[in-house]
Amino acid sequence: MIKEAIGFGATVDEAKEDAILKLGAKIEEDVQIEIISLPKKKVLGLFGGAQAEVKAYVERPDKPAKKNNKPAKKAETQAKTEKKEKSQKQEPKKAEPKVEKAEIEAVDQSLIDATSPTGKAIAYLNAILKNLGCENLNVKAAVRENGAIIIVEGEGLGVVIGHRGETLDALQHLVSLAANNSGGYFKVTLNIGDYREKREETLKGLATRVADQVKRNSRNRALEPMSAYERRIIHTAVQEIEGVCSASIGEGKNRRVVIFPEGGTPNMPRREGGRRRNDRGGRKPSNTVASAPTREPKRDTDIPLYGKISKE
């Protein structure tokens, strides 16, 4: 079964985030993206213009059909329970083996076709890493149908990650452009030194703590500005917590997640004093005009008795 959703936004990234949020996709799901239309600017800032439109879809296994014959189902369940109890008496209970989540197999970069989108992305990435002075690195790639995950391991990769992954996000965007220079949409994800996994766990913990505070105080909480990837992690974590919801507000680099009580509105939280924070983290400017400084009134002795007398 294929489930899809349409998203809109001022940019393609915001439209993708909106579509994925409507789709309710989880982090581990392989979401495919199709760009329907690019955003158009208004003429003279007044006329025309249109938002970006993106379709996100994911393939999920079909759910088994529900049976309406409840008495028959109850009898079948009871028979299975009795059979299970008998078998437990006869044989000792065995520990069930744990089924680990299947991972995508990553191969060395030397096995990737240099003319493929993944090969172009790796070649561009290696050139940047060399200029940054990063050497003796192990580069692998896990190729999907419409995307790839490039894994880089080695020492001295802090310069590639940057503050809270900002450099990594920028590099991932550039590498994606290199992979898509022939057209189409090929999703490239960079994972440098397992930073993505560590950051994901940190964000999930943050979402849980903030959600508990929102439920306890019944007040909205706004997180710091994040990338679309990190906002999606927060949204996914909040969806699994009862009593709270999340939404993205703001534009560009100031776009952030607001967690609010279920049934409420995703407004920016109020600070002490009843003022709202703006998208830049400060307070909104007051509409009150400051009065001019008071001056000491003139005394009668300061006023001349006669006007100015000109000398002729």
Side-chain angles (χ1 to χ4, degrees):
M1 177 181 67
I2 296 179
K3 186 177 180 182
E4 61 182 34
I6 303 295
F8 300 90
T11 64
V12 174
D13 288 337
E14 292 182 10
K16 286 193 292 185
E17 179 188 358
D18 183 47
I20 293 174
L21 186 59
K22 291 178 180 177
L23 190 63
K26 297 181 179 180
I27 297 297
E28 61 272 12
E29 288 186 307
D30 186 14
V31 180
Q32 305 298 323
I33 299 295
E34 179 182 345
I35 300 176
I36 300 176
S37 61
L38 297 175
K40 296 180 181 179
K41 294 183 178 180
K42 293 183 178 180
V43 180
L44 300 178
L46 298 173
F47 308 103
Q51 290 185 314
E53 184 176 357
V54 168
K55 180 172 72 172
Y57 56 94
V58 62
E59 187 174 356
R60 294 172 177 169
D62 295 335
K63 295 182 179 180
K66 295 183 179 180
K67 296 181 180 180
N68 296 326
N69 191 355
K70 293 184 179 179
K73 185 176 181 180
K74 186 176 181 181
E76 183 181 354
T77 304
Q78 186 176 358
K80 289 182 178 179
T81 304
E82 293 176 355
K83 185 177 180 181
K84 184 177 180 181
E85 290 177 353
K86 290 180 181 180
S87 62
Q88 287 178 347
K89 291 180 181 179
Q90 296 175 358
E91 299 179 0
K93 186 177 180 181
K94 297 180 180 180
E96 296 182 357
K98 294 183 179 180
V99 179
E100 297 182 356
K101 182 180 176 182
E103 297 181 356
I104 301 176
E105 184 180 358
V107 298
D108 189 77
Q109 60 177 338
S110 60
L111 302 177
I112 303 296
D113 182 8
T115 60
S116 65
T118 306
K120 295 177 181 178
I122 292 176
Y124 185 86
L125 175 63
N126 285 332
I128 294 180
L129 294 176
K130 183 178 180 180
N131 290 329
L132 290 175
C134 300
E135 298 179 352
N136 300 324
L137 301 177
N138 183 18
V139 181
K140 297 181 180 180
V143 182
R144 296 176 174 177
E145 183 179 355
N146 293 317
I149 300 176
I150 301 177
I151 304 169
V152 181
E153 297 175 349
E155 297 181 357
L157 294 174
V159 65
V160 184
I161 297 173
H163 178 64
R164 292 180 180 173
E166 292 179 354
T167 306
L168 175 59
D169 291 337
L171 181 58
Q172 178 174 288
H173 177 68
L174 294 175
V175 172
S176 298
L177 294 178
N180 289 277
N181 63 355
S182 300
Y185 180 77
F186 189 81
K187 182 180 179 181
V188 177
T189 302
L190 287 184
N191 191 1
I192 308 293
D194 291 333
Y195 173 81
R196 296 292 188 191
E197 287 81 357
K198 297 175 183 177
R199 181 62 173 166
E200 182 176 336
E201 292 300 321
T202 301
L203 292 174
K204 286 181 179 179
L206 174 64
T208 302
R209 293 194 304 271
V210 174
D212 290 340
Q213 295 175 4
V214 171
K215 289 194 294 184
R216 185 169 59 250
N217 302 326
S218 297
R219 296 179 60 182
N220 295 9
R221 284 290 306 275
L223 305 181
E224 63 184 12
M226 298 179 184
S227 64
Y229 172 77
E230 294 185 342
R231 292 196 300 271
R232 181 185 170 192
I233 295 175
I234 296 292
H235 290 311
T236 303
V238 172
Q239 285 177 355
E240 300 177 357
I241 303 174
E242 295 182 358
V244 292
C245 300
S246 63
S248 295
I249 63 174
E251 297 179 357
K253 294 182 178 180
N254 292 319
R255 194 162 177 81
R256 66 187 72 205
V257 175
V258 173
I259 301 177
F260 56 97
E262 190 173 359
T265 54
N267 297 328
M268 288 292 293
R270 293 182 178 273
R271 289 180 125 188
E272 295 182 1
R275 295 185 179 181
R276 294 185 186 275
R277 296 184 302 171
N278 57 24
D279 287 342
R280 296 183 180 179
R283 291 185 175 182
K284 287 188 175 182
S286 173
N287 294 328
T288 305
V289 180
S291 59
T294 57
R295 297 181 181 179
E296 184 181 356
K298 290 187 177 182
R299 294 171 296 178
D300 293 342
T301 54
D302 297 334
I303 303 175
L305 297 177
Y306 307 101
K308 183 178 179 181
I309 302 176
S310 62
K311 296 180 181 181
E312 295 182 358

